[in-house]
Amino acid sequence: PELMLRLAASKTMTRPSLADLRTATVPNSSVLADVYDRGQIAINESTATARNGVGGNPTLRPYTAFNLDASLEYYLSGFGGLSAAVFHKEIDDFIGSIGRTETLVLNTRAGETLTADFLITRPQNIGKAKITGVEFGAAVDLIGGFGVAASATFTQSSADIDTPAGTVEARLQGVSDTSFSISPFFKLGGFEANLSYTWRSEFTVNGNISAGSNAVTNPLDSVVADDFGTLDFGAKFRITPQFEIF
């Protein structure tokens, strides 16, 4: 009765965010200002790396995932337990950011309209992705009202990205290889308090993948967020069965 095995299979759909669906195109403002003041001369003197920008994509399709999950859970008497889980996801039409050259029309102070090529990074349905991982968890009472809950996740992920030059393999954006959380807590009578520290390893947050480039061999094609942790604190006191202060 203390041991439970859970098995699950599902297919899910995730719609694009409203930010990704925006129609706006936002080129580098310093280049725009320079072209507005100096016209074609500013375009001729600007570098290709300076002519960049970001934008949305209102034609994005939702992405779907086929998910397999299994977990084994052991429950302790009174409070808490131990768990281990494995999971696998197969994702289609995964959304990621890709930079492609676009010709933009620019205005000048003199009333002229000029054109220039910019590398505009937009969210795209970039292809297929896979995520496989394991997760371990525990929650136990220690002594004197003190206890601790903790979990750790180890993930392996990859994405096959469709580009004009063909399919390239890259890290899956937004996914850390390792993350963990630890939450010591204290409970006594009507008082409860807890700390919670969560950490995740570095992860790719953006990719500017143009024709002929490869995110694996050219590190400039990816923007990587450093690992970081967050610390939270919470407490509550129950004054009566109907009234608590958080």
Side-chain angles (χ1 to χ4, degrees):
E2 298 87 7
L3 194 63
M4 180 176 290
L5 174 66
R6 300 180 190 268
L7 303 174
S10 63
K11 187 171 184 179
T12 57
M13 180 183 72
T14 303
R15 299 186 184 278
S17 70
L18 292 177
D20 287 344
L21 290 169
R22 69 193 187 279
T23 59
T25 300
V26 186
N28 186 328
S29 59
S30 62
V31 174
L32 288 186
D34 197 20
V35 172
Y36 184 77
D37 286 334
R38 300 196 298 136
Q40 187 64 48
I41 295 175
I43 295 176
N44 296 339
E45 293 180 354
S46 65
T47 63
T49 54
R51 294 194 303 273
N52 56 44
V54 296
N57 182 359
T59 66
L60 286 174
R61 299 183 301 277
Y63 63 85
T64 59
F66 179 68
N67 314 288
L68 295 173
D69 299 89
S71 66
L72 188 63
E73 304 165 6
Y74 179 78
Y75 292 92
L76 305 174
S77 60
F79 170 83
L82 308 172
S83 66
V86 295
F87 56 88
H88 178 74
K89 299 176 182 291
E90 297 271 353
I91 304 172
D92 290 320
D93 286 328
F94 187 77
I95 295 173
S97 297
I98 295 181
R100 291 193 170 99
T101 300
E102 299 181 16
T103 300
L104 303 185
V105 178
L106 311 177
N107 296 316
T108 69
R109 189 185 299 275
E112 299 177 291
T113 56
L114 305 173
T115 59
D117 289 338
F118 280 70
L119 183 68
I120 304 297
T121 300
R122 300 183 185 275
Q124 308 279 347
N125 293 105
I126 58 177
K128 298 180 181 295
K130 295 180 181 180
I131 306 175
T132 303
V134 295
E135 183 177 46
F136 302 97
V140 294
D141 271 328
L142 298 176
I143 189 172
F146 288 96
V148 64
S151 65
T153 305
F154 304 92
T155 305
Q156 187 176 49
S157 63
S158 64
D160 294 328
I161 300 175
D162 298 326
T163 73
T167 301
V168 298
E169 184 174 335
R171 295 178 61 177
L172 188 59
Q173 296 174 14
V175 178
S176 295
D177 292 339
T178 304
S179 63
F180 71 83
S181 178
I182 182 168
S183 301
F185 59 85
F186 175 75
K187 295 189 294 184
L188 181 63
F191 178 75
E192 296 182 19
N194 72 281
L195 286 170
S196 180
Y197 180 74
T198 301
W199 178 89
R200 63 182 297 183
S201 62
E202 67 178 25
F203 57 96
T204 303
V205 295
N206 194 18
N208 297 325
I209 302 172
S210 56
S213 68
N214 189 315
V216 176
T217 59
N218 186 354
L220 296 179
D221 282 346
S222 296
V223 179
V224 178
D226 202 359
D227 58 274
F228 69 92
T230 58
L231 180 65
D232 298 289
F233 170 75
K236 73 175 183 178
F237 182 68
R238 187 175 68 253
I239 298 175
T240 71
Q242 293 80 28
F243 185 64
E244 293 180 343
I245 296 176
F246 290 81

